[in-house]
Amino acid sequence: MDSPQDVLLASEGLRVGVDDVRRSSTLICAPIMAESVDKMVVDMGNAKALGADLVEIRLDHLKSFNCSEHLKILIKESPLPTLITYRPKWEGGQYDGDEKYRLDALRLAMELGADYIDVELQVAHAFIDSIYGKKPEKFKVIVSSHNYQETPSVEALGNLVARIQATGADIVKIATSALDITDVARIFHITVHSQVPTIGLVMGERGLISRILCAKFGGYLTFGTLDSGIVSAPGQPTMKDILHLYNFRQIGTDTKVFGIIGKPVSHSKSPILHNKAFKSVGFNGVYVHLLVDDIANFLRTYSSVDFAGFSITIPHKEAALKCCDEVDPVAKAIGAINCIIRRPTDGKLFGFNTDYVGAISAIEDGLKGSHNNGSSTVSPLAGRLFVVIGAGGAGKALAYGAKQKGARIAIANRTYDRARELADTIGGDALSLADLDNFHPEDGMILANTTSIGMQPKVDETPISKHALGSYSLVFDAVYTPKMTRLLKEAKEAGATVVSGLEMFIGQAYEQFERFSGLPAPKELFRKVMDGSL
């Protein structure tokens, strides 16, 4: 059996030449789950307008269902090809009635002109036998298996595919659950090697990449919802995100994969930024959210050179450094990285830190303000007391960056020992977060929050009380969701200059984009995207 880390190397055979503009033929299906037939008809029209290729009509969601009358309407009125699903409760659906009635409805859907029906593996043999010789030429039977507990081994999945094929299925559908993002590699292995059309999806946030990268790894279709939150299975993205955030139609077997590794990660705006930038410069890449628990395991599993680069965020910035074959000297001194590039020739991993560049530049610009004469070679940070909240990867980066510019450093952290450790390494003072409110050795200090305190959804939190902010001339917050945190609002009210984490985010993203693509960053586009004007 293939080991997980070998799984994606096999996909290399699928790659096509750079001059080949062919892209994935993976279809986008919109689940239609309204409680009335009339609303389903409206939703099918919406699905077409949004760009779906077909609709999945979920009969089990209807509150009232007259089989012959309603099926005729739904199939006739659909502006798109139809997939009819009547999912029973024992397979995760809503239907809890007579089994014969359910299967009769699926047979009737076939007779009335449905393009596909989905039938569960448990009943597929008997069902397919019952329609033998009666199938219309273009009609396809999808035989599905759902595992709401886990994703089995590659060997077990291979056996499952064989069992589904043995029923006479036209299309194999396997949906599993992600306990870890590396589970998805096993599904990619199956879709890449399957001899029949296969839908392979992994449910939950850790399985999100299965729904996007199926376009690269040979999946027959993916599901995109009409509205966020209304999903037919956990972790489904919206049609809008599939098409316009991830540029799904442009993903092909030769598309390079990039992503943001973090935990949590769904709040990150990096995919919006990089995917729009990739598209604007014609770079064949896709950038995805990667909810990662164990970064070493992730990098071992997704070892193909097609997984070409990653941004790293909380809490993996220090652990990621240890996974690299080579680390930029500046990043090594900081002890944390926020960017990994995989060298295409041999797959070796190179680590960088672009955090401190973006943050320090933004803080310097804030200090210069309207007095910026541009000619001074001395940083406005020189000689200033620079207080960093947090002793993690971002804290180290800012402390190191400010020290390089001639600032004096103090580190405040919830755990005093970690603050002391960093302060000793870099040459500075240490204090606990609780002591920060009464820390006032001088006026005109600079404060930089590098923790996630105040980040959505906990927007009411702040690392320091308002009364203590009067001692600072500038306050920077690495959090950028929301753009104006409670810390920044209160600092502004206290008379300090404030610098949003958005400035750091844009600055570090410039350099990452250039390392990912080898092209100049479209800086104006980045700003427009982050301002929400694009």
Side-chain angles (χ1 to χ4, degrees):
M1 194 183 90
D2 294 284
S3 67
Q5 52 265 49
D6 293 330
V7 165
L8 292 172
L9 295 172
S11 72
E12 287 295 276
L14 276 184
R15 294 175 65 208
V16 293
V18 274
D19 296 323
D20 188 343
V21 294
R22 178 167 51 86
R23 287 288 173 265
S24 168
S25 57
T26 303
L27 302 172
I28 304 174
C29 179
I32 305 297
M33 299 170 293
E35 294 182 349
S36 73
V37 171
D38 287 348
K39 179 69 165 66
M40 279 193 168
V41 171
V42 171
D43 284 351
M44 290 190 289
N46 291 339
K48 182 177 170 66
L50 286 167
D53 297 304
L54 70 157
V55 288
E56 179 188 37
I57 299 169
R58 285 292 299 263
L59 300 178
D60 50 305
H61 282 257
L62 288 168
K63 288 295 183 205
S64 164
F65 178 53
N66 178 312
C67 190
S68 57
E69 180 193 341
H70 290 155
L71 274 174
K72 272 181 199 159
I73 294 168
L74 289 165
I75 293 167
K76 182 167 171 278
E77 294 293 324
S78 176
L80 291 169
T82 52
L83 157 58
I84 307 293
T85 302
Y86 206 177
R87 190 77 72 219
K89 280 202 167 169
W90 49 262
E91 189 81 1
Q94 307 277 325
Y95 182 74
D96 201 18
D98 178 65
E99 188 67 1
K100 181 180 181 304
Y101 180 83
R102 187 178 78 86
L103 297 177
D104 283 346
L106 292 176
R107 269 186 288 270
L108 181 60
M110 175 189 80
E111 290 163 16
L112 290 171
D115 299 276
Y116 307 83
I117 58 121
D118 178 319
V119 65
E120 300 74 26
L121 174 59
Q122 194 172 316
V123 296
H125 258 296
F127 181 84
I128 291 173
D129 286 349
S130 78
I131 60 169
Y132 182 74
K134 300 174 192 171
K135 275 175 68 181
E137 192 185 339
K138 291 184 178 176
F139 173 77
K140 306 282 188 207
V141 177
I142 298 171
V143 174
S144 60
S145 168
H146 295 76
N147 185 326
Y148 291 96
Q149 280 73 50
E150 61 174 357
T151 299
S153 66
V154 168
E155 188 177 13
L157 287 169
N159 292 337
L160 179 59
V161 169
R163 280 176 58 211
I164 293 175
Q165 283 183 255
T167 66
D170 298 302
I171 298 166
V172 170
K173 179 184 174 190
I174 297 171
T176 64
S177 297
L179 303 179
D180 190 273
I181 195 169
T182 56
D183 295 348
V184 182
R186 302 198 283 281
I187 290 292
F188 288 154
H189 181 86
I190 293 300
T191 56
V192 161
H193 290 96
S194 183
Q195 300 304 303
V196 296
T198 301
I199 302 163
L201 299 169
V202 186
M203 297 178 280
E205 192 186 344
R206 288 170 176 80
L208 175 65
I209 57 169
S210 71
R211 300 178 178 280
I212 309 303
L213 301 183
C214 55
K216 177 178 175 63
F217 293 109
Y220 185 78
L221 65 75
T222 193
F223 292 91
T225 65
L226 301 183
D227 302 292
S228 57
I230 304 172
V231 299
S232 59
Q236 283 176 350
T238 61
M239 286 283 311
K240 187 180 172 189
D241 279 355
I242 287 176
L243 285 168
H244 304 296
L245 169 56
Y246 299 112
N247 304 323
F248 190 84
R249 302 287 191 207
Q250 276 74 54
I251 299 172
T253 51
D254 56 338
T255 299
K256 294 295 184 190
V257 181
F258 303 86
I260 172 88
I261 293 174
K263 185 183 178 184
V265 79
S266 62
H267 67 281
S268 174
K269 291 189 169 67
S270 291
I272 302 171
L273 203 62
H274 287 287
N275 285 323
K276 279 192 184 293
F278 287 164
K279 192 174 183 180
S280 80
V281 300
F283 179 73
N284 186 12
V286 62
Y287 189 106
V288 291
H289 288 102
L290 300 164
L291 177 58
V292 170
D293 299 283
D294 179 337
I295 191 168
N297 189 29
F298 172 86
L299 292 167
R300 270 196 307 273
T301 302
Y302 296 98
S303 57
S304 156
V305 293
D306 277 357
F307 286 81
F310 308 99
S311 309
I312 318 293
T313 188
I314 295 169
H316 298 303
K317 294 187 179 195
E318 290 159 287
L321 184 142
K322 295 169 188 159
C323 300
C324 292
D325 299 294
E326 206 172 295
V327 178
D328 177 72
V330 175
K332 197 174 275 186
I334 293 167
I337 60 173
N338 73 326
C339 181
I340 291 178
I341 302 296
R342 177 173 269 124
R343 192 162 65 189
T345 50
D346 57 9
K348 286 196 181 301
L349 299 175
F350 287 76
F352 304 90
N353 193 310
T354 68
D355 272 341
Y356 77 100
V357 180
I360 296 299
S361 300
I363 291 167
E364 285 181 323
D365 289 347
L367 286 171
K368 289 171 187 172
S370 57
H371 305 296
N372 182 10
N373 62 18
S375 60
S376 174
T377 54
V378 179
S379 168
L381 286 171
R384 306 286 279 271
L385 184 57
F386 193 99
V387 181
V388 178
I389 303 175
K396 284 183 178 178
L398 258 78
Y400 181 91
K403 183 82 174 178
Q404 291 284 90
K405 299 288 188 174
R408 293 169 293 126
I409 308 297
I411 310 291
N413 195 57
R414 250 191 200 122
T415 315
Y416 174 77
D417 288 348
R418 283 206 74 187
R420 181 74 270 156
E421 192 183 330
L422 177 55
D424 286 347
T425 304
I426 211 148
D429 296 319
L431 58 155
S432 73
L433 198 54
D435 295 334
L436 196 57
D437 283 354
N438 301 310
F439 182 70
H440 183 185
E442 61 190 66
D443 285 327
M445 299 184 290
I446 293 153
L447 183 69
N449 174 42
T450 67
T451 72
S452 58
I453 298 169
M455 186 167 83
Q456 278 172 352
K458 298 179 180 177
V459 294
D460 293 331
E461 293 185 359
T462 182
I464 183 172
S465 64
K466 187 176 178 179
H467 79 82
L469 291 169
S471 307
Y472 297 91
S473 61
L474 182 143
V475 175
F476 164 81
D477 198 339
V479 171
Y480 66 89
T481 50
K483 183 177 177 181
M484 204 62 177
T485 58
R486 181 182 164 190
L487 171 64
L488 293 185
K489 281 178 195 161
E490 293 183 346
K492 197 169 188 178
E493 287 163 12
T497 299
V498 298
V499 177
S500 158
L502 209 54
E503 296 303 318
M504 169 183 174
F505 177 78
I506 290 171
Q508 59 82 27
Y510 287 160
E511 192 176 334
Q512 287 196 16
F513 177 86
E514 292 178 355
R515 289 189 183 277
F516 290 157
S517 67
L519 299 167
K523 296 187 178 183
E524 201 169 312
L525 177 84
F526 277 32
R527 289 216 166 269
K528 283 181 179 170
V529 170
M530 297 316 295
D531 289 345
S533 58
L534 200 67

